[in-house]
Coordinates of all heavy atoms in Angstrom, one line a residue:
F179 N 110.1 84.5 -34.7 CA 109.5 84.7 -36.0 C 110.2 84.0 -37.1 O 109.6 83.5 -38.1 CB 109.4 86.2 -36.4 CG 108.4 86.9 -35.5 CD1 108.8 87.6 -34.4 CD2 107.1 87.0 -35.9 CE1 107.9 88.3 -33.6 CE2 106.2 87.7 -35.2 CZ 106.5 88.3 -34.0
E180 N 111.6 83.8 -37.0 CA 112.3 83.1 -38.0 C 112.2 81.6 -37.8 O 112.1 80.9 -38.8 CB 113.8 83.6 -37.9 CG 114.1 85.0 -38.3 CD 113.7 86.0 -37.2 OE1 113.5 85.6 -36.1 OE2 113.6 87.2 -37.6
L181 N 112.3 81.1 -36.6 CA 112.4 79.7 -36.4 C 111.0 79.0 -36.0 O 110.9 77.8 -36.2 CB 113.4 79.4 -35.2 CG 114.8 79.8 -35.5 CD1 115.7 79.3 -34.4 CD2 115.3 79.2 -36.9
G182 N 110.1 79.8 -35.6 CA 108.8 79.3 -35.2 C 108.1 78.4 -36.3 O 107.7 77.3 -36.1
P183 N 108.1 78.9 -37.6 CA 107.5 78.1 -38.6 C 108.2 76.8 -38.9 O 107.6 75.8 -39.3 CB 107.6 79.1 -39.9 CG 107.8 80.4 -39.3 CD 108.5 80.3 -38.0
Q184 N 109.5 76.8 -38.7 CA 110.3 75.6 -39.0 C 110.0 74.5 -37.9 O 110.1 73.3 -38.2 CB 111.8 75.9 -39.1 CG 112.1 76.9 -40.2 CD 113.6 77.1 -40.5 OE1 114.3 76.1 -40.6 NE2 114.0 78.3 -40.5
F185 N 109.8 75.0 -36.7 CA 109.3 74.0 -35.7 C 107.9 73.5 -36.0 O 107.7 72.2 -36.0 CB 109.3 74.6 -34.3 CG 110.6 74.7 -33.6 CD1 111.4 75.8 -33.8 CD2 111.1 73.7 -32.8 CE1 112.7 75.9 -33.1 CE2 112.3 73.7 -32.2 CZ 113.1 74.8 -32.3
E186 N 107.0 74.4 -36.3 CA 105.6 74.0 -36.6 C 105.6 72.9 -37.7 O 104.8 71.9 -37.6 CB 104.8 75.2 -37.0 CG 103.4 74.8 -37.4 CD 102.5 76.0 -37.9 OE1 103.1 77.1 -37.9 OE2 101.4 75.8 -38.3
H187 N 106.4 73.1 -38.8 CA 106.3 72.2 -39.9 C 107.4 71.1 -40.0 O 107.5 70.4 -41.0 CB 106.3 73.0 -41.2 CG 105.2 74.0 -41.3 ND1 103.9 73.6 -41.8 CD2 105.1 75.3 -41.1 CE1 103.1 74.6 -41.8 NE2 103.8 75.7 -41.4
H188 N 108.1 70.9 -38.9 CA 109.1 69.9 -38.8 C 108.6 68.5 -39.0 O 107.5 68.2 -38.6 CB 109.9 70.0 -37.5 CG 111.2 69.3 -37.4 ND1 111.3 67.9 -37.4 CD2 112.4 69.8 -37.5 CE1 112.6 67.6 -37.4 NE2 113.3 68.7 -37.4
G189 N 109.4 67.7 -39.7 CA 108.9 66.4 -40.1 C 108.6 65.5 -38.9 O 107.9 64.5 -39.0
R190 N 109.1 65.8 -37.7 CA 108.8 65.0 -36.5 C 107.4 65.1 -36.1 O 106.9 64.3 -35.3 CB 109.7 65.5 -35.4 CG 111.2 65.1 -35.4 CD 111.3 63.6 -34.9 NE 112.7 63.3 -34.6 CZ 113.0 62.1 -34.2 NH1 112.1 61.1 -34.0 NH2 114.3 61.8 -33.9
F191 N 106.7 66.2 -36.6 CA 105.3 66.4 -36.1 C 104.3 66.2 -37.2 O 104.0 67.1 -38.0 CB 105.3 67.8 -35.5 CG 106.3 68.2 -34.5 CD1 107.3 69.1 -34.8 CD2 106.4 67.5 -33.3 CE1 108.4 69.3 -33.9 CE2 107.4 67.8 -32.4 CZ 108.4 68.7 -32.7
P192 N 103.7 65.0 -37.2 CA 102.8 64.7 -38.4 C 101.5 65.6 -38.4 O 100.9 65.7 -39.4 CB 102.5 63.2 -38.1 CG 102.8 63.0 -36.7 CD 103.9 63.9 -36.3
R193 N 101.1 66.2 -37.3 CA 100.0 67.1 -37.3 C 100.4 68.5 -37.0 O 99.7 69.3 -36.5 CB 99.0 66.6 -36.2 CG 98.1 65.4 -36.7 CD 97.3 64.7 -35.7 NE 96.7 65.7 -34.7 CZ 96.4 65.3 -33.5 NH1 96.6 64.1 -33.0 NH2 95.8 66.2 -32.7
K194 N 101.7 68.8 -37.3 CA 102.4 70.1 -37.0 C 102.4 70.2 -35.4 O 102.0 69.3 -34.7 CB 101.7 71.2 -37.7 CG 101.7 71.1 -39.2 CD 101.2 72.4 -39.9 CE 99.8 72.6 -39.8 NZ 99.3 73.8 -40.6
T195 N 102.9 71.3 -34.9 CA 102.9 71.5 -33.5 C 102.9 72.9 -33.1 O 103.3 73.8 -33.8 CB 104.2 70.8 -32.9 OG1 104.1 70.8 -31.5 CG2 105.5 71.6 -33.3
N196 N 102.4 73.2 -31.9 CA 102.6 74.5 -31.2 C 104.0 74.4 -30.5 O 104.4 73.3 -30.0 CB 101.6 74.7 -30.1 CG 100.2 74.6 -30.7 OD1 99.7 75.5 -31.3 ND2 99.5 73.5 -30.5
T197 N 104.7 75.5 -30.5 CA 106.1 75.5 -29.9 C 106.2 76.6 -28.9 O 105.9 77.8 -29.2 CB 107.2 75.6 -31.0 OG1 106.9 74.7 -32.0 CG2 108.5 75.4 -30.4
E198 N 106.6 76.2 -27.7 CA 106.9 77.2 -26.6 C 108.4 77.4 -26.4 O 109.1 76.4 -26.2 CB 106.2 76.7 -25.3 CG 104.7 76.8 -25.3 CD 104.0 75.8 -26.2 OE1 104.4 74.6 -26.2 OE2 103.0 76.1 -26.9
F199 N 108.8 78.6 -26.3 CA 110.2 78.9 -26.0 C 110.2 79.5 -24.6 O 109.6 80.6 -24.4 CB 110.7 79.9 -27.1 CG 110.6 79.3 -28.5 CD1 109.5 79.7 -29.3 CD2 111.5 78.4 -28.9 CE1 109.4 79.1 -30.6 CE2 111.4 77.8 -30.2 CZ 110.3 78.2 -31.0
V200 N 110.9 78.8 -23.7 CA 110.6 79.1 -22.3 C 112.0 79.4 -21.6 O 112.9 78.6 -21.7 CB 110.0 77.8 -21.6 CG1 109.7 78.1 -20.1 CG2 108.7 77.5 -22.3
E201 N 112.0 80.5 -20.8 CA 113.1 80.8 -20.0 C 112.7 80.7 -18.5 O 111.7 81.2 -18.1 CB 113.5 82.3 -20.2 CG 114.6 82.8 -19.3 CD 114.8 84.3 -19.5 OE1 114.3 84.9 -20.6 OE2 115.5 84.9 -18.7
V202 N 113.4 79.8 -17.8 CA 113.1 79.6 -16.4 C 113.7 80.7 -15.5 O 114.9 80.9 -15.5 CB 113.6 78.2 -15.9 CG1 113.3 78.0 -14.4 CG2 112.9 77.1 -16.7
K203 N 112.8 81.5 -14.8 CA 113.3 82.5 -13.9 C 113.7 82.0 -12.6 O 114.7 82.3 -12.0 CB 112.2 83.6 -13.8 CG 111.8 84.3 -15.1 CD 113.0 85.1 -15.6 CE 112.5 86.0 -16.8 NZ 113.6 86.9 -17.3
D204 N 112.8 81.1 -12.0 CA 113.1 80.4 -10.8 C 112.1 79.2 -10.7 O 111.4 79.0 -11.7 CB 113.0 81.3 -9.5 CG 111.7 82.0 -9.4 OD1 110.6 81.3 -9.5 OD2 111.7 83.2 -9.1
R205 N 112.0 78.6 -9.6 CA 111.2 77.3 -9.5 C 109.7 77.6 -9.6 O 109.0 76.7 -9.9 CB 111.5 76.6 -8.2 CG 112.9 76.1 -8.0 CD 113.3 74.9 -8.7 NE 112.4 73.8 -8.5 CZ 112.6 72.6 -9.0 NH1 113.7 72.4 -9.8 NH2 111.8 71.6 -8.9
T206 N 109.3 78.8 -9.5 CA 107.9 79.1 -9.5 C 107.5 80.2 -10.6 O 106.4 80.6 -10.6 CB 107.4 79.6 -8.2 OG1 108.1 80.7 -7.7 CG2 107.5 78.5 -7.1
H207 N 108.5 80.6 -11.4 CA 108.2 81.6 -12.4 C 108.9 81.3 -13.7 O 110.1 81.0 -13.7 CB 108.6 83.0 -12.0 CG 107.9 83.5 -10.8 ND1 108.3 83.2 -9.5 CD2 106.8 84.3 -10.6 CE1 107.5 83.7 -8.6 NE2 106.6 84.5 -9.3
V208 N 108.2 81.3 -14.8 CA 108.8 81.1 -16.1 C 108.3 82.2 -17.1 O 107.3 82.8 -16.9 CB 108.5 79.8 -16.7 CG1 109.1 78.6 -15.8 CG2 107.1 79.6 -17.0
R209 N 109.1 82.5 -18.1 CA 108.8 83.4 -19.2 C 108.6 82.6 -20.4 O 109.5 81.8 -20.8 CB 109.9 84.5 -19.4 CG 109.7 85.4 -20.6 CD 108.5 86.4 -20.4 NE 108.5 87.3 -21.5 CZ 107.6 87.2 -22.5 NH1 106.8 86.2 -22.6 NH2 107.6 88.2 -23.5
M210 N 107.4 82.7 -21.1 CA 107.1 81.8 -22.2 C 106.7 82.7 -23.4 O 105.9 83.6 -23.2 CB 106.0 80.8 -21.8 CG 105.6 79.9 -22.9 SD 104.0 79.1 -22.5 CE 102.9 79.8 -23.8
R211 N 107.2 82.4 -24.6 CA 106.7 82.9 -25.8 C 106.3 81.7 -26.7 O 106.8 80.6 -26.5 CB 107.8 83.7 -26.5 CG 108.3 84.9 -25.7 CD 109.3 85.7 -26.4 NE 108.6 86.5 -27.5 CZ 109.3 87.0 -28.5 NH1 110.6 86.8 -28.6 NH2 108.7 87.7 -29.5
V212 N 105.3 82.0 -27.6 CA 104.7 80.9 -28.3 C 104.5 81.1 -29.8 O 104.2 82.2 -30.2 CB 103.3 80.5 -27.6 CG1 102.4 81.7 -27.7 CG2 102.7 79.2 -28.3
W213 N 104.8 80.1 -30.5 CA 104.4 80.1 -32.0 C 103.3 79.0 -32.1 O 103.5 77.9 -31.8 CB 105.6 79.6 -32.8 CG 105.2 79.6 -34.3 CD1 104.6 78.5 -34.9 CD2 105.4 80.6 -35.3 NE1 104.4 78.8 -36.2 CE2 104.8 80.1 -36.5 CE3 105.9 81.9 -35.2 CZ2 104.8 80.8 -37.7 CZ3 105.9 82.6 -36.4 CH2 105.3 82.1 -37.6

Side-chain angles (χ1 to χ4, degrees):
F179 288 94
E180 292 77 16
L181 296 185
Q184 299 190 50
F185 279 91
E186 177 183 357
H187 297 281
H188 196 283
R190 283 280 195 180
F191 308 112
R193 283 169 38 207
K194 301 190 286 188
T195 191
N196 303 283
T197 310
E198 288 74 39
F199 303 98
V200 182
E201 177 186 347
V202 177
K203 297 293 189 180
D204 57 47
R205 299 281 308 183
T206 58
H207 297 83
V208 299
R209 172 72 173 99
M210 181 195 113
R211 301 182 70 199
V212 60
W213 179 276

